[in-house]
Amino acid sequence: MEFKISTEREAQFINITGLVQRAVSESGIQDGIAVVFVPHTTAGVTINENADPDVVHDMLLGLDRVFPKSPAYRHAEGNSHAHLKASAMGSSVTVIVEAGQLKLGTWQGIYFCEFDGPRQRRVYVHGLGSGC
Amino acid sequence: MEFKISTEREAQFINITGLVQRAVSESGIQDGIAVVFVPHTTAGVTINENADPDVVHDMLLGLDRVFPKSPAYRHAEGNSHAHLKASAMGSSVTVIVEAGQLKLGTWQGIYFCEFDGPRQRRVYVHGLGSGC
Amino acid sequence: MEFKISTEREAQFINITGLVQRAVSESGIQDGIAVVFVPHTTAGVTINENADPDVVHDMLLGLDRVFPKSPAYRHAEGNSHAHLKASAMGSSVTVIVEAGQLKLGTWQGIYFCEFDGPRQRRVYVHGLGSGC
């Protein structure tokens, strides 16, 4: 399963929980795990708070402080900070599935993490377990 | 499978390897993988050294330096640094299981990472493979 | 499945995509996932750009800045910065497998991350899905 998303800013977290749940439902998986994989090197995926948008704002700010752009970087595209942020968040998350539903905590959402946008991006979802 | 833990400090690494192994044993899984998932957004899970407690001390100190509390953060709960640390460590780890045992390296332990405690927390474990 | 690698420097990213693909091919797995697990606590694994070697240079530099060696660390071996880097990158990556092939993005490679070398290291690969 695969879906596309369009990011709108240089750095942005986009809540893809609904899209992942839809992919899980379409796969027919009932009990097992879902792997959400981002096939890019300047974008990642993470799980974090789905309620207050200020958390996402603060996470983007915090990551900017930890991995700033730097003239010391050699990579000619000038986006090494984005590669670092992508690896810090990771290229996949794994979520347990029960009765066809992602077993997330109350406040958890799955976020696509854009660090070098805006771009057209893709997300892969693979379910493993009974029913698929 | 699911278990609860009580954290005792604001930031703390708790070795849960034994609890995860017990869950794996109860699941009956023989060969496959175990996914350890933390359903919280200010706590995470990581694998690191199980021998010298100074490593855990230093990791907590290092994470504090990288993701300090900041007046620039907007989130009213004041724990955005904890959300950042949680995503930096991650919300799950995946461990290979062979003959019913977690296939960890000699010095590896699985640590629950509390970043906004003390609290009552939960951990999910899901085994996938033969025997379950 | 398991393979060994020898690292040559204190900190180094080694592209192991070919070795992982070979392990996946030998396992016979056709459709599912491959878990790549590093059983060490001062080394990790991540997915990032496979094209321009300057990206790896910049990532090692960026990680050094974020997690420098520090006299404040207690751990007597003096490699707490390496433990931090290992947890920041993570001890495993999970990749979707389709028709026997790792389903990576065009620019993605799987990198073994040495942070306290040079050493002899091991990597575990476990495939899960149809055909294995």
Side-chain angles (χ1 to χ4, degrees):
Chain A
M1 300 162 279
E2 184 173 333
F3 58 83
K4 293 180 183 177
I5 52 174
S6 300
T7 62
E8 294 147 3
R9 290 191 287 281
E10 183 178 349
Q12 184 178 16
F13 276 28
I14 297 177
N15 190 330
I16 57 171
T17 313
L19 293 165
V20 174
Q21 177 61 58
R22 186 186 305 174
V24 166
S25 298
E26 287 173 1
S27 79
I29 185 177
Q30 286 300 305
D31 291 285
I33 61 170
V35 174
V36 182
F37 186 88
V38 169
H40 305 288
T41 58
T42 54
V45 60
T46 197
I47 292 174
N48 218 291
E49 174 163 331
N50 59 14
D52 179 0
D54 283 347
V55 173
V56 164
H57 166 274
D58 293 350
M59 291 186 69
L60 288 169
L61 175 62
L63 288 170
D64 265 350
R65 291 178 166 186
V66 175
F67 301 108
K69 294 176 188 177
S70 167
Y73 290 147
R74 288 188 193 159
H75 182 47
E77 289 187 51
N79 59 359
S80 289
H81 62 286
H83 288 283
L84 278 157
K85 290 175 182 177
S87 274
M89 293 297 98
S91 54
S92 74
V93 296
T94 301
V95 182
I96 297 167
V97 175
E98 274 188 11
Q101 300 295 309
L102 294 167
K103 197 183 175 188
L104 292 165
T106 311
W107 307 107
Q108 285 184 315
I110 305 172
Y111 283 92
F112 181 90
C113 309
E114 175 63 80
F115 295 123
D116 193 36
R119 298 203 200 193
Q120 295 285 328
R121 301 289 203 176
R122 285 174 299 152
V123 177
Y124 304 155
V125 181
H126 190 87
L128 216 59
S130 67
C132 63
Chain B
M1 300 161 280
E2 185 173 333
F3 58 84
K4 293 181 183 176
I5 52 173
S6 300
T7 63
E8 295 147 3
R9 291 192 286 282
E10 184 179 348
Q12 185 178 17
F13 276 28
I14 297 177
N15 190 330
I16 57 171
T17 313
L19 293 165
V20 174
Q21 178 61 56
R22 186 186 305 173
V24 166
S25 299
E26 287 174 1
S27 78
I29 185 176
Q30 286 300 305
D31 291 285
I33 61 170
V35 174
V36 182
F37 186 89
V38 168
H40 305 287
T41 59
T42 54
V45 59
T46 196
I47 292 174
N48 218 292
E49 173 162 331
N50 59 14
D52 179 0
D54 282 347
V55 173
V56 164
H57 166 274
D58 293 349
M59 290 186 70
L60 289 169
L61 175 61
L63 288 170
D64 265 349
R65 290 177 166 188
V66 175
F67 301 107
K69 294 176 189 178
S70 167
Y73 290 147
R74 287 189 194 159
H75 183 46
E77 288 185 52
N79 59 359
S80 289
H81 62 286
H83 287 283
L84 278 157
K85 291 176 181 176
S87 275
M89 293 296 98
S91 54
S92 73
V93 295
T94 301
V95 182
I96 297 166
V97 176
E98 275 188 10
Q101 300 295 310
L102 294 167
K103 197 183 175 188
L104 292 165
T106 310
W107 307 108
Q108 285 184 315
I110 305 171
Y111 284 92
F112 181 90
C113 309
E114 175 63 82
F115 296 123
D116 193 35
R119 298 203 200 193
Q120 295 286 327
R121 300 289 203 175
R122 286 173 300 151
V123 178
Y124 304 155
V125 181
H126 190 87
L128 216 60
S130 68
C132 62
Chain C
M1 301 162 280
E2 184 172 333
F3 58 85
K4 293 180 183 176
I5 53 175
S6 300
T7 62
E8 295 148 2
R9 291 192 286 283
E10 185 178 347
Q12 185 178 17
F13 276 28
I14 297 176
N15 190 330
I16 58 172
T17 313
L19 293 165
V20 174
Q21 177 60 58
R22 186 186 305 173
V24 166
S25 298
E26 288 174 0
S27 78
I29 185 177
Q30 287 300 305
D31 291 284
I33 61 170
V35 174
V36 182
F37 185 89
V38 168
H40 306 287
T41 58
T42 55
V45 59
T46 196
I47 292 174
N48 219 292
E49 173 163 331
N50 59 14
D52 179 1
D54 282 348
V55 173
V56 164
H57 166 275
D58 293 349
M59 290 185 69
L60 288 169
L61 175 62
L63 288 170
D64 265 349
R65 290 178 167 188
V66 175
F67 300 108
K69 295 175 188 177
S70 168
Y73 291 147
R74 288 188 193 159
H75 182 46
E77 290 186 51
N79 59 359
S80 288
H81 61 286
H83 288 283
L84 278 157
K85 291 175 181 177
S87 274
M89 294 297 98
S91 55
S92 73
V93 295
T94 301
V95 182
I96 297 167
V97 176
E98 274 187 11
Q101 300 296 309
L102 294 167
K103 197 183 176 188
L104 292 166
T106 310
W107 307 107
Q108 285 184 317
I110 305 172
Y111 284 92
F112 182 89
C113 309
E114 173 64 81
F115 295 123
D116 192 36
R119 298 203 200 193
Q120 296 286 327
R121 301 289 203 176
R122 286 174 300 152
V123 178
Y124 304 156
V125 181
H126 189 87
L128 216 60
S130 67
C132 63

